[in-house]
Amino acid sequence: MTKAKASKTKADDVADLTEKQAAAELKRLAAEIKAHDDAYYQQDAPAVTDAAYDALRARNTAIETRFPKLIRDDSPNRRVGAAVSSGFRKVTHAVPMLSLGNAFSDEDVTDFIDRIRRFLTLPDDAVVEVTAEPKIDGLSFSARYEEGLLTVAATRGDGAEGEDITANIKTISAMPLKLKGKAPALIEIRGEVYMTKGDFAKLNATQAAKGAKVFANPRNAAAGSLRQLDSKITASRPLKIFAYTWGALEGPLEGKSWDTKMEFLEQLKAWGFPVNDRTKVCESVPEMIAAYTKLGEDRAGLPYDIDGMVYAVNSLAWQRRLGFVSRAPRWAIAHKFSAEQAETKLERIEIQVGRTGALTPVAHLTPVNVGGVMVGRATLHNEDEIARKDIREGDTVIIQRAGDVIPQVVEVRTDKRPKGSHAFVFPDKCPVCKSQAVREPDEVVRRCTGGLTCAAQAVERIRHFVSRDAFDIEGLGEKHIEAFFSDGLVKNPAELFTLQKRDGKTKLMEREGWGEKSVDNLFLAIEHRRTVPLERFIFALGIRQVGQATARLLAHAYGTYDAWRDAMIAAKDEASDAYRDLTNIEQIGPSVATDVVAFFAEKHNRDILTALDKELTIEPFVAPALGDSPIAGKIVVFTGTLVATSRSEAKAKAQSLGAKVAGSVSKKTDLVVAGPGAGSKLKEAEALGVKVVTEEEYLALIGG
Ligand code: IVH
């Protein structure tokens, strides 16, 4: 009541101001609020009560609202809490900042260690020492030290390029400005900036008292504090750091002073960095799991938020050999904790039909805050899951969010179940086209049998086909696709390219909302896409499990559309070389292979492919230009026994140098690396006149 009254008086007063008076007032308020901020943040000695301070800010805001033209560059509303990303200079990391693969189960951890053994061709019982350290839920930084002095610090950004936060990071008291003792000519130190749970609670309490922004969690508070254009604000926030790795490194210490990650952590400490003292070495999977379990038990009592455990191979020589897959190292993994949970009401269950015809149940929830994010929907996976948990509309449910994955319903509060509720009946008809929806034996998913006659599938497939990362055809929204489909104008992706020929212009112009110009624009957009890179083409087909990364792998492996198509048709026979080659592609397992092969096995899909091929120019895959490696862009085949490295290591290395590794020899093969025991492939290479080298010669060629 008093509050409403107070603001009313203020508003009235503001309403009486002339523009000139308002400008003078804003100037005075900016200076006064700044003086109070300095007293509060810098000297920790507030000069006025919080209420008086709030009144000043409220008055400033009221005047700004009435006279937006008069908002000053140094307005208090601009200075505080405005993380203006465009205001930061960009910094390119000398060595990219990568992410980590995730492990969610004990089995994933076992697989991680097994993969390392296989890659390094170690015996099954070889000890793989790893470090286990808490994964801090903060935000990562990379700080460059030249001759031991901190010169530039950046956020992770997209991994290649981050934001310059040098001035801000220098305000963190734990951050060494100068490395103690001997330092290399250049080193990028990497770690995490975080805020303790206690400091976060205190910060939020003062923010709330001031009427300023409160943060959802310590991570957001740390990020908001670090990404301030005014580093004085950062200075006032209680930020801390942990250092854990390095990026670029040059100079006398390179590779000499530490052979293991543990030794490097000791070096970090000697230089003056805080290092997490819970980090320990584990020598087996059970030890890793025990360390993870213990960390989970201690999690709530730790002063900082963590979201899992990071395991990294301790030997740096092994780390170098293991290298990277896409954007994550093979030598490290994050073992994640289960996620945060919240309770809410499940209002209704919707059955969606995906472009592959799968019926997917989705829970519509009363929106609820889960770990700082508002959640209004959750996946229910499939009908068995609904039946097993007896999830009903109207139930109170516990949902959880784990990292970036879609929120899920984990539990039903049956004690809160409303009277008269009944079990959910999963439909056996497609909610879109009313065709039968059936479940194959051994399948968990029920699928609509309508195929391309089902609007959900056809429309969804065409929508995917024209989407940005696929054919990128502008001006064709979902509504248009639906309308074209239901009128029989475009029933599949290939028909997009024949629309104009089929008198599409007249037909479209008869439709509401289409004028000559918009029709011409659409046809132009379609014409522009008649030439398409192979990887985009593959992705656009919407084959199950074939996302952009897999599409790229396939394009990389087969090079041309014809080669890919012929191989996929031949791979129907699981005993064939084609099938073996497909599953030999790194990161393509039998499950993806099955889906790709199944796609080609369907006649209606092959028909559409033929129709598309007629209309399009599908460009061969172009390997990324990777410097001047002698095998960049070349097609290499390995055969026989390799001695120095395992087959998968050799393959990964060749790929990282820009080569394409093929499973069989053809006229297009540039180089065959033949070890002892090489048989038919070697003969073929000789017959075709393809260059053949020994493993030793190959290693000399690529420089080791
Ligand atoms: S090691 C190649 N250790 O988690 C990257 N990362 O999900 C090696 N993180 O980008 C990183 N605590 O920002 C490592 N103890 C820790 C970590 C940690 C948090 C972050 C890091 C990384 C992200 C990956």
Side-chain angles (χ1 to χ4, degrees):
M1 190 64 206
T2 38
K3 218 173 167 188
K5 214 167 160 189
S7 65
K8 183 156 194 310
T9 343
K10 234 176 278 145
D12 287 345
D13 168 0
V14 168
D16 292 335
L17 291 175
T18 63
E19 189 163 327
K20 204 164 158 213
Q21 287 170 326
E25 263 293 65
L26 285 178
K27 182 172 178 195
R28 184 185 69 77
L29 285 166
E32 193 176 339
I33 293 170
K34 167 119 185 17
H36 290 316
D37 280 344
D38 288 352
Y40 183 94
Y41 290 122
Q42 263 46 261
Q43 292 110 40
D44 213 13
V48 287
T49 63
D50 284 352
Y53 178 86
D54 288 349
L56 290 174
R57 287 195 73 109
R59 181 169 170 77
N60 183 73
T61 305
I63 301 176
E64 287 185 351
T65 312
R66 207 185 135 212
F67 298 102
K69 265 199 335 218
L70 300 181
I71 297 178
R72 303 169 57 86
D73 284 341
D74 65 350
S75 157
N77 285 330
R78 284 205 175 160
R79 275 191 304 115
V80 180
V84 184
S85 57
S86 57
F88 292 94
R89 200 174 64 89
K90 295 270 184 266
V91 175
T92 304
H93 303 299
V95 168
M97 291 181 80
L98 300 149
S99 54
L100 291 175
N102 289 328
F104 293 102
S105 64
D106 294 0
E107 202 192 339
D108 292 345
V109 177
T110 311
D111 287 349
F112 167 65
I113 297 294
D114 285 349
R115 273 200 304 276
I116 290 171
R117 285 205 188 98
R118 272 204 307 276
F119 197 92
L120 298 173
T121 52
L122 303 174
D124 289 350
D125 55 356
V127 172
V128 177
E129 254 188 25
V130 298
T131 56
E133 63 185 296
K135 182 167 178 332
I136 309 299
D137 200 5
L139 88 161
S140 41
F141 70 88
S142 179
R144 201 176 157 93
Y145 289 81
E146 290 171 57
E147 303 300 345
L149 293 181
L150 174 56
T151 53
V152 179
T155 58
R156 191 185 119 120
D158 63 3
E161 200 180 55
E163 287 170 348
D164 186 339
I165 45 156
T166 315
N168 294 351
I169 217 161
K170 283 183 172 174
T171 69
I172 301 177
S173 59
M175 189 82 198
L177 301 179
K178 182 175 185 310
L179 302 181
K180 280 191 215 136
K182 207 165 155 232
L186 165 74
I187 187 161
E188 284 174 345
I189 300 296
R190 287 164 181 190
E192 209 79 2
V193 175
Y194 69 97
M195 192 179 283
T196 65
K197 297 177 192 172
D199 285 337
F200 159 71
K202 273 189 235 152
L203 173 66
N204 261 0
T206 39
Q207 291 285 102
K210 279 193 305 190
K213 177 183 164 70
V214 294
F215 297 100
N217 53 46
R219 202 201 99 84
N220 284 358
S225 302
L226 192 61
R227 295 175 70 260
Q228 287 286 342
L229 285 182
D230 182 353
S231 58
K232 283 194 198 130
I233 298 171
T234 310
S236 73
R237 303 277 172 82
L239 294 176
K240 296 201 161 51
I241 57 161
F242 278 126
Y244 46 72
T245 191
W246 78 93
L249 169 61
E250 285 168 19
L253 287 180
E254 187 173 355
K256 297 221 175 83
S257 301
W258 52 84
D259 293 326
T260 62
K261 161 119 193 190
M262 262 332 217
E263 284 168 28
F264 180 69
L265 294 180
E266 285 307 315
Q267 175 66 72
L268 279 174
K269 274 194 232 170
W271 278 331
F273 290 96
V275 167
N276 197 308
D277 61 8
R278 289 191 65 117
T279 308
K280 55 174 278 183
V281 172
C282 296
E283 299 196 341
S284 67
V285 171
E287 269 184 49
M288 292 159 78
I289 309 280
Y292 168 84
T293 310
K294 175 84 172 60
L295 184 65
E297 286 161 6
D298 297 349
R299 183 180 182 188
L302 291 178
Y304 42 81
D305 268 350
I306 55 174
D307 55 351
M309 182 78 120
V310 175
Y311 307 119
V313 169
N314 199 22
S315 155
L316 300 182
W318 279 2
Q319 284 193 7
R320 276 190 287 273
R321 279 181 63 195
L322 285 159
F324 304 87
V325 216
S326 19
R327 305 186 67 223
R330 278 199 190 81
W331 43 263
I333 201 164
H335 193 180
K336 296 301 237 347
F337 286 129
S338 52
E340 295 192 64
Q341 303 190 334
E343 195 175 289
T344 189
K345 188 173 155 202
L346 189 164
E347 293 172 354
R348 79 192 162 85
I349 296 173
E350 183 200 2
I351 306 292
Q352 295 182 343
V353 187
R355 66 170 191 272
T356 58
L359 268 50
T360 335
V362 175
H364 287 254
L365 310 161
T366 307
V368 61
N369 187 326
V370 192
V373 174
M374 290 305 285
V375 173
R377 280 162 174 236
T379 172
L380 294 169
H381 300 287
N382 53 56
E383 59 183 295
D384 288 355
E385 186 75 3
I386 297 179
R388 193 172 63 78
K389 293 186 181 147
D390 187 17
I391 299 171
R392 304 180 181 191
E393 293 182 323
D395 272 346
T396 297
V397 291
I398 313 259
I399 57 161
Q400 88 172 10
R401 202 173 61 85
D404 294 332
V405 306
I406 307 164
Q408 336 183 339
V409 171
V410 283
E411 199 188 314
V412 175
R413 295 288 310 264
T414 39
D415 53 325
K416 295 191 177 177
R417 177 164 279 167
K419 278 203 199 83
S421 89
H422 45 79
F424 182 74
V425 183
F426 205 93
D428 59 4
K429 295 224 163 49
C430 169
V432 174
C433 74
K434 312 289 178 237
S435 301
Q436 283 296 321
V438 298
R439 254 178 98 167
E440 299 296 335
D442 302 334
E443 273 256 13
V444 283
V445 178
R446 189 175 285 274
R447 282 176 205 284
C448 162
T449 54
L452 282 174
T453 56
C454 170
Q457 287 173 72
V459 168
E460 186 48 34
R461 272 188 207 208
I462 302 170
R463 196 200 55 71
H464 172 78
F465 187 88
V466 302
S467 67
R468 228 187 49 207
D469 294 326
F471 269 71
D472 191 19
I473 297 176
E474 265 181 42
L476 251 194
E478 189 163 347
K479 290 265 164 324
H480 297 136
I481 298 173
E482 263 167 25
F484 291 2
F485 179 82
S486 57
D487 292 358
L489 270 180
V490 177
K491 296 188 297 303
N492 63 53
E495 291 189 358
L496 281 170
F497 295 95
T498 56
L499 182 58
Q500 194 167 10
K501 281 190 275 213
R502 289 181 283 122
D503 199 18
K505 186 158 179 174
T506 326
K507 285 180 190 150
L508 284 193
M509 280 178 58
E510 283 164 7
R511 309 182 71 95
E512 209 179 310
W514 289 90
E516 177 149 21
K517 191 157 170 51
S518 53
V519 174
D520 285 346
N521 283 344
L522 175 63
F523 286 146
L524 206 62
I526 294 174
E527 283 315 301
H528 276 149
R529 298 292 182 249
R530 278 194 194 264
T531 301
V532 62
L534 178 59
E535 62 273 30
R536 267 186 189 260
F537 178 78
I538 297 178
F539 172 68
L541 298 177
I543 302 172
R544 264 162 80 190
Q545 300 199 68
V546 180
Q548 273 177 289
T550 307
R552 209 180 145 73
L553 287 173
L554 289 167
H556 190 276
Y558 293 94
T560 64
Y561 167 67
D562 287 353
W564 178 57
R565 177 203 53 213
D566 293 348
M568 295 308 96
I569 293 173
K572 193 174 174 187
D573 171 7
E574 288 193 8
S576 66
D577 281 357
Y579 182 80
R580 204 205 42 225
D581 288 348
L582 175 60
T583 48
N584 270 348
I585 301 173
E586 202 178 356
Q587 292 169 28
I588 294 200
S591 150
V592 176
T594 306
D595 283 337
V596 181
V597 171
F599 178 86
F600 277 88
E602 299 263 355
K603 178 157 184 318
H604 68 254
N605 288 336
R606 288 198 308 275
D607 290 346
I608 291 175
L609 285 172
T610 309
L612 278 169
D613 193 18
K614 229 187 262 166
E615 299 295 327
L616 302 174
T617 306
I618 305 168
E619 296 176 320
F621 182 80
V622 185
L626 276 170
D628 43 16
S629 147
I631 59 166
K634 298 265 159 56
I635 300 177
V636 180
V637 173
F638 292 98
T639 180
T641 314
L642 299 185
V643 182
T645 49
S646 68
R647 183 72 70 89
S648 46
E649 185 174 1
K651 199 165 155 183
K653 175 88 194 217
Q655 282 167 341
S656 76
L657 292 172
K660 214 169 74 186
V661 179
S664 55
V665 177
S666 74
K667 280 196 304 254
K668 290 189 202 130
T669 311
D670 294 296
L671 186 67
V672 171
V673 182
S680 62
K681 286 184 195 165
L682 177 57
K683 282 207 191 92
E684 254 172 79
E686 283 163 351
L688 290 166
V690 173
K691 185 170 176 192
V692 179
V693 294
T694 64
E695 184 183 10
E696 223 169 81
E697 287 165 340
Y698 169 71
L699 290 175
L701 175 72
I702 62 165

